Amino acid sequence: MNFNNIKQTIEPLRLQLLNHSLYKNIKTADDLHSFLEGHVYAVWDFMSLLKALQSKLTCTTTPWIPYGNPEIRYLINEIVLAEETDISLDGKRQSHFEMYLDAMNTCDSNTQEVARFLENIQETQNIFVSIKQSNLDPKIKSFLDFTFRIIEEGKPHKIAAAFTFGREDLIPDMFTSILKNFQENFPETNLAKLIYYFERHIELDGDEHGPMAMKMIAELCGENETKWKEVAEVSVLALEKRIGLWDAIEEKILQKEVCHP
């Protein structure tokens, strides 16, 4: 098992995501709001995958010790630096999640639901309880539940698989398609912050984070065939859950069209 085998295995799912009919159904400002209000959960839980990797592969406790592979430590910390404290369009330090919330607010999307969800997590101190208690679409719940089950299992190569093939490796192409669609369909809407967010991901993930994440997978799996097989299995599941997220958003958009033709 190697990268070529994994890419061949997941290619049908990648193509399904890149050619998903959701993109063509984002036709109005209301459709855009539905997309952002669903996709924000993927923006948010991505950070938990990243921080789980940082926790597993670097020393984040005291007293500090030089834990793990220095090359992997560098890869993780470099990605964390950009994702958690990037420069926003306004020239301020923000996480990409905070940038996304700002973009949503600029587009007049509803950020109250995700804010309540995060508040509930702090109250319950149990992500699985909060997911279950939420009013989210079952497919979005399943998407989130999968992420945190992988994190809870605690195997770095599996977390890295969900992070790399389910997210980082996919984002540049997918976000390019979305960005083009937005620019064509919403010329009158203020999308400056949203476009900036997508362009940062295209730049970082395509040129830097994607290759870094691939290197991390190679370092974590080495010559262990079992780990490579598990990486492939998790990658497939991660993409299937992402397709489910897209399906949920599309269904919401189409349902609104039926109710308000």
Side-chain angles (χ1 to χ4, degrees):
M1 180 68 70
N2 54 38
F3 283 125
N4 288 334
N5 295 133
I6 292 173
K7 289 186 175 182
Q8 287 176 6
T9 300
I10 66 175
E11 186 61 17
L13 293 170
R14 289 186 80 256
L15 290 176
Q16 191 175 339
L17 272 169
L18 292 173
N19 297 297
H20 200 288
S21 54
L22 165 65
Y23 312 133
K24 295 180 180 178
N25 280 311
I26 303 175
K27 302 172 184 176
T28 68
D30 198 37
D31 297 339
L32 174 59
H33 296 162
S34 293
F35 171 79
L36 297 176
E37 289 159 17
H39 179 239
V40 68
Y41 293 95
V43 177
W44 170 73
D45 83 331
F46 169 83
M47 285 302 300
S48 290
L49 286 169
L50 178 56
K51 298 302 281 188
L53 285 171
Q54 188 181 38
S55 175
K56 293 290 181 183
L57 301 175
T58 74
C59 183
T60 57
T61 58
T62 56
W64 179 87
I65 58 171
Y67 175 79
N69 183 319
E71 188 69 21
I72 293 180
R73 290 202 303 261
Y74 172 78
L75 295 175
I76 288 296
N77 288 330
E78 184 74 11
I79 295 173
V80 169
L81 179 66
E83 294 289 345
E84 197 169 33
T85 55
D86 203 2
I87 296 291
S88 72
L89 182 63
D90 299 326
K92 300 175 182 178
R93 288 287 176 189
Q94 281 187 317
S95 69
H96 284 191
F97 174 67
E98 289 164 318
M99 284 186 197
Y100 200 84
L101 290 181
D102 276 356
M104 289 179 69
N105 286 322
T106 302
C107 297
D108 296 322
S109 295
N110 181 2
T111 59
Q112 294 179 359
E113 184 176 353
V114 67
R116 284 195 296 267
F117 179 69
L118 297 186
E119 288 173 4
N120 185 260
I121 292 171
Q122 292 178 310
E123 291 169 3
T124 66
Q125 293 295 302
N126 187 314
I127 181 61
F128 300 108
V129 170
S130 292
I131 292 170
K132 187 174 181 179
Q133 289 180 350
S134 74
N135 294 321
L136 293 171
D137 183 284
K139 291 177 182 176
I140 297 180
K141 288 185 177 183
S142 180
F143 173 85
L144 292 171
D145 187 79
F146 170 77
T147 295
F148 288 96
R149 295 293 174 190
I150 290 294
I151 290 172
E152 186 180 53
E153 189 177 350
K155 294 184 178 180
H157 65 286
K158 286 191 173 185
I159 300 171
F163 177 87
T164 303
F165 294 106
R167 305 299 180 92
E168 291 292 90
D169 184 49
L170 178 72
I171 283 171
D173 290 337
M174 185 178 67
F175 277 17
T176 300
S177 299
I178 295 173
L179 183 57
K180 289 178 180 177
N181 187 57
F182 285 168
Q183 289 174 318
E184 291 173 3
N185 288 299
F186 306 105
E188 306 299 324
T189 306
N190 182 1
L191 297 177
K193 288 186 176 181
L194 186 63
I195 289 172
Y196 179 83
Y197 168 85
F198 284 135
E199 286 180 338
R200 283 298 290 157
H201 266 282
I202 291 168
E203 177 185 356
L204 288 172
D205 296 334
D207 296 337
E208 300 176 29
H209 294 179
M212 283 182 177
M214 292 292 189
K215 190 172 182 179
M216 176 176 60
I217 290 276
E219 292 280 352
L220 289 173
C221 291
E223 301 298 322
N224 190 315
E225 285 299 316
T226 299
K227 286 186 177 181
W228 280 108
K229 183 180 178 181
E230 289 177 342
V231 163
E233 291 170 350
V234 169
S235 300
V236 167
L237 288 172
L239 291 174
E240 288 175 345
K241 296 299 180 182
R242 186 58 172 257
I243 290 170
L245 175 71
W246 261 206
D247 289 344
I249 295 171
E250 183 178 37
E251 287 164 10
K252 182 178 180 180
I253 290 172
L254 296 177
Q255 187 176 29
K256 284 184 177 180
E257 289 180 1
V258 172
C259 295
H260 304 284

